[in-house]
Amino acid sequence: MNGELFEDYVPEVVEYDPEVDGSDEHKIRDAHLNTKADLLEKIRRAKAAAKGNKTTFRQNIRTENEN
């Protein structure tokens, strides 16, 4: 059965059409990923600058057994 299924198959030659196939989509995706990475870095730096050298101190957690 395996040989009979594709016995009369003739491959079709397909032409590449940039309008139909979208020639610049990979460039658009790369631009979006680069923009996202830049914005994430900018936000990270802004958060670090806003925090500055502040150290947050937490009180000890009280338990039921403390006096």
Side-chain angles (χ1 to χ4, degrees):
M1 171 131 190
N2 290 343
E4 299 170 9
L5 186 61
F6 297 107
E7 197 170 295
D8 57 347
Y9 173 74
V10 178
E12 178 185 349
V13 177
V14 179
E15 294 290 327
Y16 175 75
D17 184 3
E19 286 188 24
V20 175
D21 298 327
S23 61
D24 293 334
E25 286 195 25
H26 66 282
K27 294 178 185 175
I28 293 170
R29 183 176 184 275
D30 288 344
H32 285 204
L33 290 175
N34 290 339
T35 303
K36 179 181 177 182
D38 292 342
L39 290 174
L40 286 173
E41 181 63 25
K42 184 176 181 180
I43 290 169
R44 189 192 62 76
R45 277 188 264 124
K47 283 184 175 182
K51 185 175 183 182
N53 291 327
K54 293 182 208 170
T55 305
T56 55
F57 294 100
R58 293 180 55 188
Q59 293 181 341
N60 293 335
I61 299 172
R62 294 191 299 171
T63 61
E64 297 175 11
N65 298 332
E66 286 186 10
N67 292 331

